[in-house]
Amino acid sequence: MKTALYLTNCTADASQILHRWSSTDEPVRLTVVYPYTIETGRALTKDSFHQAKNQAETRLQGWATQLPQVWPGEVRTETLLAEPELAATLHLLLRGYDYMLVDDEQLGLSEAASALLTQTQTQLCQLCGQRTYAAV
């Protein structure tokens, strides 16, 4: 089964874009990651971490209910205390993915991220517009 990574910001647009992409017959094991941070100016403490994590998990669970009930494959959701690019880097280094799904907002990948995609042989798949599986 093919695997894919998608970093979400938990907006309605993101779930609609992902829903359109899921209309394929190819089964895909999708990992959806919601990277979150601590509020600006707030110290990282045990309490602030738990509060931010609980808020992120609640938001992601609510967002995930908007995904198609019948997915060709399986969907796993995770939260990660990190900036989006760091979250993507960690996942690509630690787990093997066939695809990294991106929408137009994420299309401006850094040189380091592009190099990592090439190194891990992960194909970049743009979700907006035509569905493509173009290797980076």
Side-chain angles (χ1 to χ4, degrees):
M1 181 181 298
K2 298 285 184 171
T3 58
L5 171 65
Y6 179 65
L7 272 65
T8 184
N9 56 6
C10 290
T11 63
D13 288 345
S15 66
Q16 290 172 358
I17 291 168
L18 199 55
H19 180 68
R20 282 193 302 268
W21 185 79
S22 73
S23 62
T24 178
D25 292 332
E26 180 183 12
V28 175
R29 182 179 301 123
L30 176 66
T31 301
V32 177
V33 178
Y34 175 47
Y36 67 96
T37 59
I38 303 293
E39 294 174 23
T40 303
R42 190 166 182 196
L44 178 59
T45 64
K46 184 177 177 180
D47 290 337
S48 65
F49 169 74
H50 285 297
Q51 183 180 16
K53 182 170 180 63
N54 289 339
Q55 288 173 349
E57 287 175 347
T58 300
R59 185 170 182 189
L60 181 58
Q61 288 170 0
W63 179 84
T65 62
Q66 299 173 31
L67 294 177
Q69 295 301 316
V70 179
W71 182 270
E74 65 182 74
V75 178
R76 288 189 280 179
T77 58
E78 300 178 16
T79 59
L80 184 61
L81 177 63
E83 293 296 325
E85 188 162 344
L86 177 59
T89 300
L90 290 171
H91 269 267
L92 291 170
L93 287 172
L94 297 175
R95 300 180 185 165
Y97 292 99
D98 297 300
Y99 309 113
M100 179 171 171
L101 311 179
V102 297
D103 54 33
D104 280 340
E105 293 176 7
Q106 299 168 321
L107 205 50
L109 297 175
S110 70
E111 285 184 35
S114 294
L116 182 59
L117 288 174
T118 302
Q119 180 182 0
T120 59
Q121 298 179 343
T122 302
Q123 294 180 359
L124 187 64
C125 182
Q126 184 179 356
L127 297 179
C128 294
Q130 260 331 65
R131 181 176 166 203
T132 59
Y133 289 146
V136 175

